Amino acid sequence: MSAVVDELGARLKAYEGRPAAVAGTGKDPVNEPMIRHWCEAMGDTNPAYAGPDAVAPPTMLQAWTMGGLSGHSGRTGAYDELFDLLDEAGCTSVVATDCEQEYLRPLRPGDEVTFDAVIESVSDRKTTKLGTGYFVTTRMDVRVGQDLVGTHRFRILKYAPARQKQKRQQEEKPARARRPRPVVNRDNAGFWEGVERHQLLIQRCTSCGTLRHPWLPGCNTCGGPDWDTVEASGDGTVYSYVVMHHPPFPAFDPPYAVGLIELAEGVRIVSNVVGMPYDKVRVGLPVRLEFRRYDDDEDDPLVLPVFRVQEGREGREGGVG
């Protein structure tokens, strides 16, 4: 079996460096309506993204290269061939794991975007809880004219799902459902380290002092890359909320309320609202931060921030968010 795996790995490695797209073109030039829709959806009010000298938000880089349902004419067959090999080997499932972007210059309305994509790397065979497979990384170089304006790396895991026999064994010995763990990366690791210490840390730009959450690598207000943190006082109000009924997840017990909490510091965070029946939660209720531990019987118990309704304190009445 190992010889077969090694042979497959060698065949997959041969695709490293092969193009996935050549001379692709953006379906639309960089334009103000798309920038406006993006900023409205993201709640980004940076003045740099509006007016006669507007630039596009850097994180829109991939948006200008998307092909939609019809795809792009510049796509090559190498990527499809790679996936066919993985499918034939039983790696029929796929999950996106992460992406990285590098911005070299701002994009402006009217810019015509072109791009080339390459299969940058295929990992050695990896075994995960999902199953066994390979991480495939593609790199897209985005240009305007001859100028390289940004790079987008996208990584997926193409894997063979865990054996049905193993799943049957798990079903025969049911265990208490485990809470899903947060995705921790280099941009948000400090936040989760603070949570483990029972501190809710908010990023603060050291250039303009703007607070931000969730954590980001740069400031949306001034673009500054440097930041420090302040600890939240823990006081907040329910700015909006939803009640989760469906779909059910093994580690959760619906229905339950999930709130968008406006902290006293002015930023907002999504978390569970506790201490009150789900059907009594309302916009404007005062809440207080607390930390809960889950999965205490495991080696890595999970600590999460939640917000408890403060009984006896009246809040602004409102409807479902």
Side-chain angles (χ1 to χ4, degrees), residues 159-215:
Y159 65 96
R163 292 180 179 179
Q164 293 299 319
K165 179 180 178 181
Q166 293 175 336
K167 291 183 179 179
R168 285 197 299 270
Q169 290 174 343
Q170 293 172 356
E171 291 171 358
E172 292 169 0
K173 299 178 180 179
R176 189 170 64 84
R178 184 175 187 265
R179 282 245 174 181
R181 266 47 183 171
V183 176
V184 180
N185 56 41
R186 62 186 180 184
D187 292 330
N188 66 12
F191 172 80
W192 291 108
E193 290 168 1
V195 169
E196 289 182 358
R197 299 191 301 268
H198 288 199
Q199 294 178 305
L200 187 62
L201 299 180
I202 306 170
Q203 279 185 310
R204 176 175 58 189
C205 176
T206 55
S207 295
C208 68
T210 299
L211 300 179
R212 62 179 185 261
H213 187 85
W215 281 35

Side-chain angles (χ1 to χ4, degrees), residues 5 39 41 47 54 80 96 103 109 117-118 135 146 172 205 216 250-251 256 262 269 279 282 294 297 312 315 317:
V5 171
C39 291
D80 292 333
Y103 315 116
V118 63
F135 289 93
Q146 298 299 314
E172 292 169 0
C205 176
L216 296 169
Y256 53 90
E262 184 164 77
I269 182 173
D279 56 349
R282 293 291 183 268
Y294 300 90
D297 56 338
E317 289 296 323

Side-chain angles (χ1 to χ4, degrees), residues 107-243:
L107 289 169
R108 298 177 174 83
D111 282 344
E112 299 278 354
V113 167
T114 62
F115 58 89
D116 298 287
V118 63
I119 301 169
E120 188 170 64
S121 66
V122 181
S123 74
D124 295 332
R125 179 176 178 268
K126 303 291 184 181
T127 298
T128 71
K129 290 185 177 180
L130 292 175
T132 299
Y134 299 83
F135 289 93
V136 179
T137 303
T138 55
R139 187 192 76 242
M140 179 178 288
D141 295 326
V142 183
R143 292 181 171 82
V144 174
Q146 298 299 314
D147 297 333
L148 181 66
V149 297
T151 299
H152 174 79
R153 283 182 174 83
F154 190 69
R155 186 173 297 109
I156 59 99
L157 172 64
K158 194 81 164 72
Y159 65 96
R163 292 180 179 179
Q164 293 299 319
K165 179 180 178 181
Q166 293 175 336
K167 291 183 179 179
R168 285 197 299 270
Q169 290 174 343
Q170 293 172 356
E171 291 171 358
E172 292 169 0
K173 299 178 180 179
R176 189 170 64 84
R178 184 175 187 265
R179 282 245 174 181
R181 266 47 183 171
V183 176
V184 180
N185 56 41
R186 62 186 180 184
D187 292 330
N188 66 12
F191 172 80
W192 291 108
E193 290 168 1
V195 169
E196 289 182 358
R197 299 191 301 268
H198 288 199
Q199 294 178 305
L200 187 62
L201 299 180
I202 306 170
Q203 279 185 310
R204 176 175 58 189
C205 176
T206 55
S207 295
C208 68
T210 299
L211 300 179
R212 62 179 185 261
H213 187 85
W215 281 35
L216 296 169
C219 179
N220 279 334
T221 300
C222 72
D226 300 320
W227 52 270
D228 58 12
T229 62
V230 297
E231 183 176 356
S233 66
D235 290 324
T237 56
V238 177
Y239 184 84
S240 182
Y241 70 96
V242 296
V243 175

